[in-house]
Amino acid sequence: EVQLLESGGGLVQPGGSLRLSCAASGFTFSSYAMSWVRQAPGKGLEWVSSFSAAADGTYYADSVKGRFTISRDNSKNTLYLQMNSLRAEDTAVYYCAKVVQIRPREGFDYWGQGTLVTVSS
Amino acid sequence: QTVVTQEPSFSVSPGGTVTLTCGLSSGSVSTSYYPSWYQQTPGQPPRTLIYSTNTRSSGVPDRFSGSILGNKAALTITGAQADDECYYYCVLFMGSGIWVFGGGTKLTVL
C-alpha cells in the first residue's frame, strides 16, 4: 500500500524558513517523480514543485521560484521542500504527491494527508 | 500567463450523467497536455480519478471516465450518487515539468 506522510508544517513569521518532509513507503521511491502541491485556506489546488526521478531536473511554480528548493533522499525514501523567505500568501496545506511515472508529466496518483504551513506574525 | 478553466459549479440529479470540462484560456487541450482529474471533499486530501486523459486510477469505479471533447478535456460521471457531491479539479501538463491546475468545479447532486 502506497503511503505518503508529510511533516514539518507549523507557524512561522514572514521572512522565516521551514523544511517539509514527506516519508514514502509501499513503492520503489527512486523510480518515480514526486511533487508538492498546496492549497490555501478556502482556495483551489496549486502545483508548487516537482523532482524528476530521471535525474533530469527540478521544477518550480513562478510563485515560489528562488525561494523554495525541492530535494529527495532515495536512501531514506523521503522528499523535502525547503521554504525560505516565507510570505503570508504561502499559508496553505502542503501535499506531497507521487507522480505516475519517472518524469513529471502524466499527473499524480497518490497523495499524502498534508501538512499545514501558516505564515503570520 | 496560461489559465486553466473549469466551470465554477455544476448540478446533476441523482442517477444522472454530468460532464465537467477543463479548457485553456488560449488554445485547445489535447492529449499532449496529459489532463488528469482529482476529487476532493473539504478537509480531505485530493483523490486521483483519471490521469493521462482517460486512465482510471486504482480503485476508481468505471462511472468516472475521461476524454477530450472538442477543444477541452472532459470528466464524465454516470449514475451520479450523493457522495459524488464535492469539488473536482483538473490539471494540465504545460511542458518543462510544469503543471497548472484549474480553479475547480463544485458539483452538487440534487
Side-chain angles (χ1 to χ4, degrees):
Chain A
E1 178 192 5
V2 172
Q3 291 193 333
L4 301 170
L5 183 61
E6 302 95 336
S7 61
L11 175 64
V12 61
Q13 292 187 340
S17 298
L18 214 54
R19 188 177 86 153
L20 306 183
S21 300
C22 170
S25 61
F27 65 101
T28 305
F29 181 73
S30 60
S31 296
Y32 294 91
M34 297 292 295
S35 290
W36 290 97
V37 175
R38 69 183 180 184
Q39 186 169 37
K43 302 296 184 181
L45 300 172
E46 179 188 15
W47 171 77
V48 172
S49 182
S50 293
F51 198 125
S52 171
D56 56 1
T58 56
Y59 310 93
Y60 300 93
D62 286 345
S63 58
V64 307
K65 197 174 296 182
R67 300 187 299 122
F68 290 12
T69 302
I70 191 172
S71 61
R72 62 192 294 164
D73 186 337
N74 289 340
S75 68
K76 296 182 178 179
N77 291 347
T78 302
L79 179 74
Y80 302 99
L81 186 67
Q82 177 67 44
M83 304 185 295
N84 298 330
S85 303
L86 283 162
R87 307 166 179 167
E89 54 264 37
D90 296 318
T91 294
V93 174
Y94 285 72
Y95 295 104
C96 171
K98 174 185 169 294
V99 179
V100 171
Q101 295 284 359
I102 190 169
R103 288 185 173 86
R105 192 176 66 180
E106 280 86 352
F108 319 104
D109 53 0
Y110 291 94
W111 299 74
Q113 290 295 313
T115 187
L116 176 62
V117 172
T118 302
V119 184
S120 175
S121 55
Chain B
Q1 184 175 351
T2 301
V3 175
V4 177
T5 62
Q6 293 186 249
E7 300 87 358
S9 62
F10 226 113
S11 295
V12 62
S13 300
T17 296
V18 62
T19 296
L20 310 181
T21 67
C22 178
L24 286 168
S25 55
S26 177
S28 299
V29 177
S30 67
T31 56
S32 298
Y33 285 88
Y34 298 91
S36 52
W37 293 90
Y38 307 89
Q39 179 189 58
Q40 189 182 35
T41 54
Q44 294 297 313
R47 171 200 182 197
T48 301
L49 298 175
I50 301 286
Y51 60 87
S52 292
T53 305
N54 55 13
T55 302
R56 266 186 298 277
S57 190
S58 176
V60 174
D62 58 10
R63 301 190 298 108
F64 296 89
S65 62
S67 63
I68 299 292
L69 286 181
N71 62 350
K72 296 182 179 182
L75 173 70
T76 300
I77 306 171
T78 59
Q81 301 175 358
D83 59 5
D84 293 336
E85 183 167 299
C86 59
Y87 289 86
Y88 292 84
Y89 294 93
C90 72
V91 70
L92 300 180
F93 180 67
M94 298 301 180
S96 301
I98 294 171
W99 280 289
V100 178
F101 279 92
T105 297
K106 183 178 181 180
L107 181 66
T108 301
V109 180
L110 51 72

